[in-house]
């Protein structure tokens, strides 16, 4: 990569968004924690520019993240955002002040002065603020380039050293001209050309891996999810028949999903695919288990065992390929927060199987970039735009003990729900939807006879990031149709309820 920007992470909540915005402007950006990189490494890496991110601290806190001020003397342009802006002020000898009465949250009117950072933006505009601390005295050489009614220095710059600091967040869409500012920084200040694109990515990766993996046999665990599917299609382009994909069908997939994966990869792409139908093995292990975390643990472990067995039968394998993506790379390592669910994707394999090498062709990409690559590689839409599906599959959507009979009921009900929502199309702003088979049975009546069947719950949520989610206000007409179809078509389900809880306090999945 010739041209790249460093997003130096001080713990802010929008850090991934900053990197994505920069990449959308066709400049490659990578995120590094301030504690994992030194000034010497920054210099050696040849970054065209550096962005200091926001962060939750005050610069004078004992535990506040700081960085070697020498970074400001490398001759590399720097843009500090929020905490990053205050840190520049602090590092360069200015003062930062904390005052509750001058804190600003939300959309705020911004007055800008003459600066290349604000080129092609009006002098009165709205920005997004989220701060209590502010820059009280600019360091030597820095002049104020923007202010708000509450904040005398909303942005400052030492233009001769190409150092910029903004108190607001240009990366969020509420900052009207935020993109233009980032673009000014990248192209006007850092001198970037903007050469990062998905076409180049595919070409470069295929080129790189066809050389690197020449003559080697590559094994990939394909789950049918977006990441491993795109990794498979990409690597197949690079190494052709030397790629073998193992698809462990744990029997916990949705209706027809296993066959769809098999058809796509074996028939359409001509990839060597081994499908292991391991439903019995998984159900045996899950027999009598009702605790969700235990289910997850059992499935994760069993997945590795099955994969090991198959890998052992394949003869020589040189390389293990994985569909790790950039957020996985960034997020592994941090992890102080409480475990609500142990979201493993069945994929933690390398510890148990000996390979010479591991390749992760998507480890630089964000999810939306992975999807673009998938589309360009010709993967079907259903796969590229597939909604998230938990690694442990329907096992966490059958409440209580998982049995083949309950799975069959759930699959049918879930398929009907999905069919009806897909028929309604894009008009419904819904991010994820599925059915849950509750462990509750209730009395019903059919014809003149009493029935006693399961209750199915429908769940549909709207969210950007799945950290929080709203329950989706689906039209009654759709709910009515789904309910009537399920109770008519799925023998054994006699009651349908709709989950109207948001996250928090509930989670998206029931288990
Ligand atoms: P929750 O239920 O935690 O779900 O609100 C947030 C998102 O994560 C998915 N999810 C999982 N994904 N393994 C996964 O790979 C898991 O064990 C798991 N549990 C939940 C869930 O579908 C939603 O998209």
């Amino acid at each position: 990569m010739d041209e790249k920007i460093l997003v130096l992470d001080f713990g802010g909540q929008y850090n991934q968004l900053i990197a994505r915005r920069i990449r959308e402007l066709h400049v490659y950006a990578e995120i590094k924690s301030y504690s994992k990189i030194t000034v010497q490494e920054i210099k050696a890496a040849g970054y065209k520019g550096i962005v200091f991110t926001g962060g939750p601290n005050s610069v004078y806190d004992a535990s506040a993240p700081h960085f070697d001020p020498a970074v400001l003397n490398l001759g590399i342009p720097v843009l500090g955002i929020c905490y990053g802006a205050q840190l520049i002020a602090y590092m360069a000898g200015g003062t930062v002040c904390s005052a509750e009465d001058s804190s600003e949250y939300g959309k705020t009117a911004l007055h800008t002065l003459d600066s290349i950072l604000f080129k092609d933006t009006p002098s009165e505009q709205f920005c997004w603020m989220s701060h209590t601390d502010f820059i009280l005295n600019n360091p030597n050489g820095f002049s104020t380039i923007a202010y708000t009614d509450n904040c005398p220095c909303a942005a400052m710059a030492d233009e001769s050293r190409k150092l910029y600091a903004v108190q607001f967040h240009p990366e969020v869409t509420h900052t009207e001209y935020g993109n233009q500012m980032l673009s000014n920084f990248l192209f006007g200040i850092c001198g970037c050309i903007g050469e990062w694109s998905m076409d180049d990515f595919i070409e470069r990766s295929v080129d790189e891996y066809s050389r690197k993996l020449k003559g080697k046999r590559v094994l990939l665990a394909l789950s049918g999810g977006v990441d491993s599917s795109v990794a498979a299609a990409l690597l197949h382009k690079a190494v052709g028949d030397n790629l073998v994909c193992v698809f462990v069908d744990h029997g916990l997939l949705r209706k027809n999903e296993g066959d769809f994966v098999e058809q796509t990869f074996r028939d359409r792409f001509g990839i060597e695919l081994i499908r292991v139908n391991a439903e019995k093995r998984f159900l045996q292990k899950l027999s009598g288990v009702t605790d969700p975390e235990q289910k997850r643990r059992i499935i994760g472990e069993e997945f590795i065992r099955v994969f090991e067995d198959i890998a052992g039968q394949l003869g020589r394998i040189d390389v293990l390929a994985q569909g790790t993506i950039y957020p996985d790379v960034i997020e592994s390592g941090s992890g102080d927060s409480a475990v609500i669910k142990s979201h493993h994707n069945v994929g933690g394999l390398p510890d148990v199987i000996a390979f010479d090498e591991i390749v992760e062709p998507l480890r630089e990409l964000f999810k939306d970039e992975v999807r673009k690559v998938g589309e360009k590689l010709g993967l079907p839409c259903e796969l590229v735009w597939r909604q998230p599906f938990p690694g442990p599959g329907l096992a966490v959507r059958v409440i209580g003990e998982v049995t083949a009979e309950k799975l069959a009921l759930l699959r049918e009900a879930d398929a009907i729900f999905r069919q009806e929502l897909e028929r309604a199309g894009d008009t419904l702003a819904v991010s994820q939807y599925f059915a849950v088979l509750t462990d509750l049975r209730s009395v019903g009546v059919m014809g003149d006879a009493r029935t006693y069947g399961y209750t199915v719950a429908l769940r549909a949520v709207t969210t950007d990031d799945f950290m929080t989610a709203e329950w989706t206000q689906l039209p009654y007409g759709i709910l009515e149709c789904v309910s009537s179809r399920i109770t008519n078509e799925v023998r054994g389900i006699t009651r349908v309820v709709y989950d109207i809880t948001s996250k928090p306090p509930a989670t998206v999945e029931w288990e």
Side-chain angles (χ1 to χ4, degrees):
M1 211 92 51
D2 297 334
E3 187 173 274
K4 57 182 179 181
I5 295 286
L6 171 64
V7 176
L8 197 58
D9 181 357
F10 291 101
Q13 54 177 327
Y14 298 126
N15 302 348
Q16 292 195 26
L17 189 58
I18 298 172
R20 274 173 49 198
R21 290 278 179 260
I22 295 174
R23 290 192 190 183
E24 280 162 15
L25 293 164
H26 302 292
V27 177
Y28 181 73
E30 59 189 21
I31 304 174
K32 298 255 180 233
S33 163
Y34 76 96
S35 61
K36 303 249 166 70
I37 192 166
T38 63
V39 170
Q40 286 70 30
E41 286 163 342
I42 292 178
K43 191 172 172 193
Y47 292 107
K48 294 284 257 183
I50 307 170
V51 177
F52 289 4
T53 73
N57 299 75
S58 263
V59 285
Y60 299 114
D61 288 352
S63 60
H66 285 175
F67 202 71
D68 185 347
V71 69
L72 302 180
N73 300 326
L74 292 174
I76 305 174
V78 178
L79 172 65
I81 296 176
C82 198
Y83 176 81
Q86 294 154 13
L87 190 64
I88 291 180
Y90 171 84
M91 283 158 85
T95 45
V96 174
C97 186
S98 185
E100 285 295 339
D101 56 1
S102 61
S103 60
E104 291 172 305
Y105 289 94
K107 221 168 168 180
T108 309
L110 180 77
H111 314 275
T112 63
L113 306 171
D114 191 33
S115 166
I116 184 167
L117 192 65
F118 302 130
K119 191 170 148 269
D120 296 332
T121 75
S123 54
E124 306 288 316
Q125 51 180 293
F126 282 101
C127 69
W128 186 259
M129 285 286 198
S130 171
H131 70 110
T132 301
D133 292 7
F134 65 96
I135 298 168
L136 184 65
N137 295 308
N138 295 359
N140 277 341
F142 282 80
S143 30
T144 295
I145 53 171
Y147 59 93
T148 68
D149 294 344
N150 245 346
C151 186
C153 177
M156 63 170 194
D158 180 343
E159 309 247 7
S160 64
R161 293 164 74 201
K162 301 192 175 182
L163 303 176
Y164 295 81
V166 293
Q167 185 54 68
F168 54 88
H169 288 272
E171 70 279 18
V172 307
T173 47
H174 308 287
T175 296
E176 280 180 297
Y177 294 92
N179 244 353
Q180 182 62 42
M181 294 173 199
L182 290 175
S183 167
N184 291 338
F185 178 68
L186 297 174
F187 303 111
I189 296 164
C190 302
C192 293
I193 308 165
E195 54 188 10
W196 166 256
S197 81
M198 288 304 114
D199 285 332
D200 289 354
F201 173 83
I202 295 175
E203 210 176 295
R204 217 178 37 241
S205 306
V206 169
D207 190 52
E208 178 188 337
Y209 289 113
S210 56
R211 271 185 292 111
K212 213 159 128 185
L213 303 178
K214 197 168 180 179
K216 295 185 176 173
R217 254 186 122 210
V218 183
L219 173 66
L220 180 128
L222 185 73
S223 69
V226 184
D227 306 342
S228 65
S229 297
V230 174
L234 187 66
L235 283 172
H236 186 242
K237 237 174 131 85
V239 305
D241 292 345
N242 276 335
L243 173 70
V244 50
C245 291
V246 171
F247 168 40
V248 176
D249 184 346
H250 48 23
L252 305 166
L253 295 171
R254 290 167 292 192
K255 189 175 178 182
N256 298 333
E257 202 164 21
D259 295 344
F260 175 67
V261 171
E262 188 173 349
Q263 274 156 19
T264 305
F265 289 94
R266 188 180 292 148
D267 304 343
R268 276 179 63 175
F269 277 78
I271 291 177
E272 186 185 341
L273 177 88
I274 298 170
R275 175 175 176 179
V276 193
N277 291 317
E279 179 178 6
K280 277 215 178 85
R281 247 176 105 156
F282 279 86
L283 282 183
Q284 254 163 23
K285 292 276 171 188
L286 288 169
S287 159
V289 178
T290 54
D291 175 67
E293 283 302 289
Q294 207 187 339
K295 287 183 188 174
R296 284 188 167 81
R297 233 177 356 262
I298 289 171
I299 294 165
E301 275 170 23
E302 194 55 17
F303 185 88
I304 293 173
R305 297 286 95 78
V306 175
F307 193 80
E308 253 180 334
D309 289 354
I310 299 300
Q313 296 163 22
L314 286 176
R316 181 181 65 95
I317 292 289
D318 307 294
V319 180
L320 178 73
Q322 290 192 300
T324 318
I325 71 170
Y326 199 48
D328 306 332
V329 176
I330 307 167
E331 276 153 23
S332 62
S334 61
D336 306 325
S337 46
V339 175
I340 308 292
K341 292 179 194 182
S342 58
H343 273 211
H344 66 238
N345 262 323
V346 273
L349 302 167
D351 293 355
V352 289
I353 309 168
F355 294 98
D356 291 347
E357 207 179 333
I358 292 170
V359 295
E360 298 173 315
L362 308 176
R363 63 177 284 126
E364 288 173 359
L365 303 189
F366 286 109
K367 194 83 173 188
D368 45 347
E369 294 175 318
V370 172
R371 292 204 160 105
K372 271 190 204 139
V373 170
E375 279 182 336
K376 283 185 190 290
L377 289 170
L379 285 171
C381 268
E382 305 97 283
L383 226 160
V384 172
W385 292 101
R386 182 182 190 260
Q387 47 176 293
F389 184 64
L394 299 183
V396 292
R397 293 182 182 169
V398 167
I399 310 305
E401 188 186 6
V402 184
T403 64
E405 296 69 35
K406 286 180 175 176
L407 284 169
L409 290 179
L410 176 58
R411 263 192 204 105
E412 292 307 318
D414 181 68
I416 291 171
F417 185 37
R418 286 191 295 133
Q419 228 173 45
E420 291 304 325
L421 284 201
E422 274 144 33
R423 211 195 301 276
D426 292 340
T427 49
L428 307 170
V430 50
S431 315
Q432 189 176 7
Y433 45 93
F434 52 88
V436 175
L437 190 74
T438 74
D439 211 15
L440 181 83
R441 285 201 276 174
S442 66
V443 176
V445 53
M446 194 172 248
D448 289 327
R450 176 188 191 271
T451 56
Y452 189 59
Y454 281 102
T455 302
V456 104
L458 307 176
R459 179 82 163 134
V461 294
T462 302
T463 172
D464 282 333
D465 56 10
F466 296 93
M467 305 288 285
T468 60
E470 303 287 325
W471 65 273
T472 309
Q473 305 207 8
L474 291 180
Y476 283 171
I478 293 183
L479 290 172
E480 184 183 14
C481 164
V482 174
S483 162
S484 131
R485 277 196 60 194
I486 290 178
T487 44
N488 276 308
E489 295 173 34
V490 190
R491 179 136 308 180
I493 296 181
T494 44
R495 198 175 288 267
V496 179
V497 298
Y498 187 51
D499 181 352
I500 54 165
T501 338
S502 289
K503 172 184 179 177
T507 52
V508 175
E509 303 286 348
W510 277 35
E511 287 199 333

